[in-house]
């Protein structure tokens, strides 16, 4: 991610809360304010435009709705909140602002945080936090740069993940979206987090001259605060979404029982142990076998396949262990979905793509519409791709992302595709059977062929043996020096 230029300021904002509340709570306090600031910045820009027109429409709600801008009541505008930042009642003022916005916008009913007046939240620090929030995130210029998305990303990245859940890096979301191309139809994410997959899907549609209204969004999220965050995130981007009546578990309280999605995008929490299997043994979603009760990975796979429409496609992230696990229940499901010709493509991704965890992952693509390639599975090995953006985090380059999704589309369309040693292989089901239904791409794509440098073998060996001889000499010399130094302090080797 390109630097925002005000990360230090964002960190200072979170730091204001240190010692007052748990760090896991920071994002809920700050992101509520981010929401208020965004809609207020956006409103203020439109307000000033209307004021300049001098037609007296600046307090008319309809003048804002026409441009998909939230109308913000006076008591919820940032200028009002900031002017009261030093007041001991600032918590109540923010809560009242949230209530006023919910009244104006029915889709946000019971969604916005309204607990800023709670005694546990220090009001002096809260006021200082409001004062620090000086940069614009809702103007047209800021929207074009997606400053809001990046501020959300920053806080979720720093304080967002809980056990098994990891914030999906944008490069991975972008690759998933470009692989399955959700132009038109129903898009579903059964563990939607803050709604990042939907935001990227909507952006994809717009970038390809479509309309956001061409896709219908369905999601579900188990964590209550994250579910509310997703509602806010989508509302301020003008994306209509059905995220269910409330936060709920996709396995035990499916909010979209009758949904058949055309596209599924997901990054399910990895290797969840206690997911409620004993209560769901007769569930029709386990058509390919009952997933083990101590790991939910194959329950997620089965859940997603069961939600696909007859022509639907799913792209999702899973920990690498799921590609080759020999646990009998998981092996059986993997074998069955392969024999039913549902697995379309597997990509092994490089390590360290996630911000705070180095767990290696792979991308799975499942399709119900595979008549042109039903006995084949495309494997791609992208483990050598990417560059280290920081000491701990790797990013994919634009051209690498493009190479991956173009290879997939060429293979699907049977145009300009060919196997490349070490990178991609269109493997037959027969071959996959011979490997015991293991889906690790490295098994199929082989090792990349090294380019011939044109130097004769004898010449290379002469050079290498000469270099080795020099290294042996250096090693002997170092050994003697170490012995001498040890003798100098009274130790004989």
């Amino acid at each position: 991610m390109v630097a925002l230029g005000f990360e230090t300021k964002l960190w200072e904002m979170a730091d204001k809360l240190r010692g007052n509340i748990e760090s896991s709570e920071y994002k809920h306090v700050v992101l509520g304010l981010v929401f208020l600031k965004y809609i207020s910045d956006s409103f203020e820009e439109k307000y000033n435009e209307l004021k300049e027109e001098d037609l007296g429409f600046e307090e008319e709600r309809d003048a804002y709705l026409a441009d998909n801008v939230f109308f913000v009541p006076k008591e919820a505008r940032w200028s009002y909140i900031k002017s009261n930042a030093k007041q001991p009642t600032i918590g109540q003022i923010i809560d009242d602002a949230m209530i006023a916005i919910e009244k104006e916008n029915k889709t946000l009913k019971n969604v916005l945080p309204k607990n800023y007046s709670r005694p546990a939240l220090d009001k002096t620090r809260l006021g200082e936090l409001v004062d620090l929030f000086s940069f614009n995130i809702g103007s047209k210029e800021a929207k074009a740069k997606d400053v809001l998305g990046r501020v959300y990303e920053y806080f979720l990245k720093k304080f967002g993940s809980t056990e098994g859940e990891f914030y999906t890096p944008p490069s991975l979301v972008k690759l998933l979206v470009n692989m399955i191309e959700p132009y038109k139809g129903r898009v579903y994410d059964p563990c939607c987090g803050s709604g990042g997959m939907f935001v990227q899907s909507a952006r994809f549609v717009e970038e390809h001259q479509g309309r956001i209204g061409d896709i219908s969004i369905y999601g579900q999220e188990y964590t209550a605060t994250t579910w509310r965050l997703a509602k806010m995130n989508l509302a301020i981007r003008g994306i209509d979404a059905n995220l269910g009546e409330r936060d709920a578990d996709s396995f035990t309280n499916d909010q979209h029982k009758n949904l058949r999605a055309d596209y599924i995008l997901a990054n399910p929490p990895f290797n969840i142990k206690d997911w409620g299997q004993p209560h769901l043994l007769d569930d029709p979603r386990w058509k390919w076998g009952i997933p083990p009760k101590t790991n939910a990975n194959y329950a997620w796979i089965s859940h997603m396949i069961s939600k696909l429409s007859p022509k639907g496609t799913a792209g999702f992230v899973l920990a690498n262990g799921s590609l080759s696990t020999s646990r009998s229940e998981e092996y059986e499901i993997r074998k069955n979905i392969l024999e039913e010709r549902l697995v379309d493509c597997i990509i092994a991704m490089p390590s360290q793509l996630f911000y705070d965890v180095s767990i290696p992952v792979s991308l799975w693509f499942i399709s119900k519409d595979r008549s042109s390639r039903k006995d084949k599975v495309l494997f791609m090995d992208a483990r050598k791709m990417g560059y280290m953006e920081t000491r701990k985090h790797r990013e994919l380059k634009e051209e690498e992302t493009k190479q991956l999704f173009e290879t997939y589309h060429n293979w699907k369309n049977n145009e300009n595709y060919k196997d490349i040693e070490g990178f991609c292989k269109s493997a037959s089901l027969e071959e996959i059977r011979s490997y015991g239904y293991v889906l690790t791409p490295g098994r199929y794509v082989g090792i990349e062929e090294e380019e011939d440098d044109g130097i004769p073998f004898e010449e290379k060996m002469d050079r290498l043996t000469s270099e080795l001889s020099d290294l042996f000499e250096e090693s002997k010399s170092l050994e003697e020096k170490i012995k001498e130094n040890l003798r100098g302090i009274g130790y004989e080797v």
Side-chain angles (χ1 to χ4, degrees), residues 1-15 135 150-151 153-155 157-159 389:
M1 186 177 84
V2 178
L4 280 165
F6 44 80
E7 283 85 351
T8 311
K9 191 72 86 178
L10 294 175
W11 181 254
E12 278 178 40
M13 289 171 69
D15 210 34
F135 43 91
R150 290 156 69 188
V151 170
E153 186 183 314
Y154 178 86
F155 277 101
K157 186 174 77 177
K158 292 282 185 191
F159 310 108
E389 185 199 32

Side-chain angles (χ1 to χ4, degrees), residues 40-54:
S40 195
D41 286 346
S42 182
F43 169 84
E44 193 180 328
E45 188 176 52
K46 183 68 186 168
Y47 180 92
N48 291 333
E49 283 173 15
L50 293 168
K51 192 99 176 158
E52 272 185 31
E53 290 172 8
D54 202 21

Side-chain angles (χ1 to χ4, degrees), residues 97-114:
M98 297 290 187
I99 292 165
I101 289 167
E102 282 193 357
K103 273 186 188 166
E104 285 288 334
N105 302 279
K106 299 281 183 286
T107 56
L108 292 173
K109 193 178 175 189
N110 299 326
V111 168
L112 301 183
K114 296 178 285 292

Side-chain angles (χ1 to χ4, degrees), residues 219-392:
Q220 183 156 344
E221 170 56 39
Y222 181 53
T223 310
T225 47
T226 311
W227 179 81
R228 285 198 287 272
L229 195 59
K231 296 273 281 185
M232 282 192 273
N233 193 12
L234 298 175
I236 54 185
R237 294 165 193 273
I239 300 172
D240 277 335
N242 179 347
L243 303 187
E245 290 293 315
R246 54 161 303 145
D247 51 285
D249 186 329
S250 290
F251 294 132
T252 56
N253 187 8
D254 185 0
Q255 299 278 292
H256 305 289
K257 276 195 173 142
N258 298 318
L259 173 69
R260 291 296 172 266
D262 302 299
Y263 306 98
I264 296 178
L265 289 156
N267 173 23
F270 301 152
N271 304 320
I272 292 294
K273 290 186 173 65
D274 185 10
W275 58 277
Q277 185 249 39
H279 310 292
L280 299 165
L281 292 175
D282 298 324
D283 198 291
R285 287 173 288 186
W286 318 142
K287 180 184 168 189
W288 302 274
I290 298 174
K293 70 176 181 182
T294 54
N295 192 310
N297 288 349
Y298 274 78
W300 284 115
I301 295 174
S302 303
H303 173 82
M304 287 189 271
I305 298 176
S306 76
K307 292 286 182 192
L308 282 175
S309 72
K311 293 202 166 189
T313 305
F316 50 88
V317 187
L318 279 181
N320 275 357
S322 54
L323 296 172
S324 57
T325 170
S326 55
R327 189 195 298 233
S328 60
E329 303 100 315
E330 294 174 324
Y331 169 85
E332 197 61 23
I333 297 172
R334 193 171 67 240
K335 181 183 122 185
N336 289 339
I337 62 174
L338 275 160
E339 290 293 350
E340 208 171 301
R341 276 68 167 172
L342 290 166
V343 180
D344 207 25
C345 173
I346 302 285
I347 308 179
M349 299 306 294
S351 62
Q352 294 176 288
L353 282 176
F354 284 77
Y355 289 103
D356 298 314
V357 64
S358 60
I359 189 166
V361 301
S362 45
L363 304 186
W364 289 58
F365 296 90
I366 301 281
S367 176
K368 287 273 192 89
D369 183 17
R370 305 186 68 243
S371 51
S372 62
R373 54 193 188 282
K374 62 178 186 171
D375 290 322
K376 298 277 185 182
V377 175
L378 177 64
F379 291 94
M380 286 193 267
D381 190 346
R383 286 176 298 170
K384 288 183 183 171
M385 287 188 171
Y387 65 97
M388 294 307 290
E389 185 199 32
T390 66
R391 197 167 53 83
K392 289 184 175 174

Side-chain angles (χ1 to χ4, degrees), residues 34-91:
V34 167
F35 174 81
L36 270 185
K37 182 74 164 65
Y38 176 90
I39 60 165
S40 195
D41 286 346
S42 182
F43 169 84
E44 193 180 328
E45 188 176 52
K46 183 68 186 168
Y47 180 92
N48 291 333
E49 283 173 15
L50 293 168
K51 192 99 176 158
E52 272 185 31
E53 290 172 8
D54 202 21
L55 296 171
F57 292 150
E58 60 269 21
E59 293 293 344
E60 293 290 330
R61 285 165 176 72
D62 290 346
Y64 295 86
L65 290 174
D67 281 353
N68 206 18
V69 173
F70 273 45
F71 179 81
V72 183
K74 283 183 182 171
E75 66 272 28
R77 294 175 194 170
W78 193 257
S79 52
Y80 177 74
I81 291 168
K82 188 157 186 179
S83 67
N84 285 285
K86 301 284 192 295
Q87 300 298 321
T89 53
I90 182 63

Side-chain angles (χ1 to χ4, degrees), residues 85-151:
K86 301 284 192 295
Q87 300 298 321
T89 53
I90 182 63
Q92 190 58 54
I93 287 168
I94 294 172
D95 285 346
D96 291 343
M98 297 290 187
I99 292 165
I101 289 167
E102 282 193 357
K103 273 186 188 166
E104 285 288 334
N105 302 279
K106 299 281 183 286
T107 56
L108 292 173
K109 193 178 175 189
N110 299 326
V111 168
L112 301 183
K114 296 178 285 292
N115 55 358
Y116 286 86
S117 58
R118 65 188 189 271
L121 188 57
D122 185 297
K123 301 304 174 296
T124 306
R125 292 186 191 211
L126 180 60
E128 288 171 350
L129 200 155
V130 169
D131 273 338
L132 275 172
F133 210 158
S134 55
F135 43 91
N136 195 313
I137 56 173
S139 67
K140 285 175 189 160
E141 186 187 347
K143 281 179 189 169
K145 291 179 184 167
D146 193 23
V147 172
L148 173 77
R150 290 156 69 188
V151 170

